[in-house]
Amino acid sequence: MKLMGNLKFGNDSELHLFNVDENRIVSAIPVLKNNKYTPIDLKDGIKMYADNTLVETSFPPCNSKKQIVKTLGDILGRIQEKLDELGNFKLVPQAAHVHDEDQLKDKDAWEIGCSTNFNGYKECPNKTLDFNEIPEPRLRTGSFHIHLGNEKLCDFNIRHQAIKILDIFVGIPSII
């Protein structure tokens, strides 16, 4: 089944890394030793890397529900296989975690990797924050960013309507 014609779906999940031996969430930086510029290739366009202290993944766009479900399952399986090679680690799909100080010693643990993004409501770029500007600078947040692609989304007004519709039907239910 096609998703609304030529609609393509992608995502970049950012998940916390749990060290079973230490019984705590740890930074992915020293475990993976790869970032978005040198990702670990898990085949078929699926990649994983450390993004700040988190494990992030990327994959080629999908265009059907069946392909999305299969790809997300493949990604989780392949990441776990790679983590098993690296030690006794598990992924943790947790919204947020305050790290122990010893997990934030690497300079990359203090880099906010997102490029400037755009506020669809105010129609202006959002300010990029520094971790030291937030009340708990050791806090890192996991995510499941959804990426949609379609030639109609190139139209400014349609794109902004789509943002609001996604907030209502995807964003709000995801936090309930």
Side-chain angles (χ1 to χ4, degrees), residues 1 8 33 35 59 61-62 73 81 118 124 126 135 145 148:
M1 176 184 203
K8 300 279 188 186
K33 299 179 177 73
N35 61 26
F59 60 92
C62 299
E81 285 176 16
F118 196 77
C124 66
N126 287 316
H145 299 125
L148 297 176

Side-chain angles (χ1 to χ4, degrees), residues 10-17 27-29 32 34-42 45-59 75-76 79 83 91-92 111-115 141-147:
N11 106 295
D12 60 298
S13 301
E14 292 147 0
L15 302 158
H16 297 279
L17 185 63
S27 172
I29 298 167
L32 300 183
N34 292 73
N35 61 26
K36 63 184 169 187
Y37 304 110
T38 59
I40 298 168
D41 186 356
L42 299 176
I46 299 170
K47 296 178 172 55
M48 73 182 272
Y49 45 91
D51 180 18
N52 196 277
T53 61
L54 301 157
V55 176
E56 182 164 348
T57 184
S58 63
F59 60 92
I75 288 168
L76 293 173
I79 288 174
L83 292 176
L91 293 174
V92 180
E111 177 185 311
I112 295 180
C114 300
S115 53
T141 56
S143 65
F144 187 89
H145 299 125
I146 296 172
H147 303 263

Side-chain angles (χ1 to χ4, degrees), residues 67-78:
Q67 186 181 18
I68 291 165
V69 172
K70 181 186 180 321
T71 300
L72 291 174
D74 286 349
I75 288 168
L76 293 173
R78 291 180 194 188

